[in-house]
Amino acid sequence: FALEQHGVIPVDVHVWRITTRDYEPELRQAKSLTPRIYEQVGGAFRKRFGDFAGWAHSLLFGAELAGAARARLPARLLQEMDA
């Protein structure tokens, strides 16, 4: 990762969604992404993935965006892609 900061987690709404869905469901109660919630989300990744939490973030973030893009494709195209 940039500057060898493997544990840095940039948090946005996608990462917040991943965290609340898969790792820390109690964070769903938050109304917005405050500095405190931002730290808790990063902490959840570091707790689960350790020193390489930033790498885990990148993989999960990419998969999340790919899944959202895939959901918007026509069924015919999805069938062709999966064949």
Side-chain angles (χ1 to χ4, degrees):
F1 254 164
L3 302 173
E4 297 186 27
Q5 300 298 309
H6 303 286
V8 174
I9 311 298
V11 178
D12 67 358
V13 294
H14 301 287
V15 177
W16 185 14
R17 185 178 310 128
I18 292 166
T19 305
T20 60
R21 181 188 65 220
D22 300 336
Y23 307 116
E24 300 289 336
E26 67 276 1
L27 292 179
R28 287 185 192 139
Q29 304 305 318
K31 301 276 189 241
S32 64
L33 190 55
T34 64
R36 184 175 146 269
I37 298 298
Y38 188 100
E39 286 299 319
Q40 288 180 306
V41 169
F45 267 78
R46 284 185 287 278
K47 177 181 164 188
R48 181 155 184 96
F49 300 108
D51 292 339
F52 292 96
W55 288 101
H57 159 272
S58 292
L59 293 172
L60 293 168
F61 180 76
E64 182 80 10
L65 292 183
R70 185 177 169 88
R72 292 190 301 265
L73 295 175
R76 182 184 57 75
L77 182 57
L78 289 172
Q79 290 172 346
E80 184 178 315
M81 289 170 53
D82 292 338

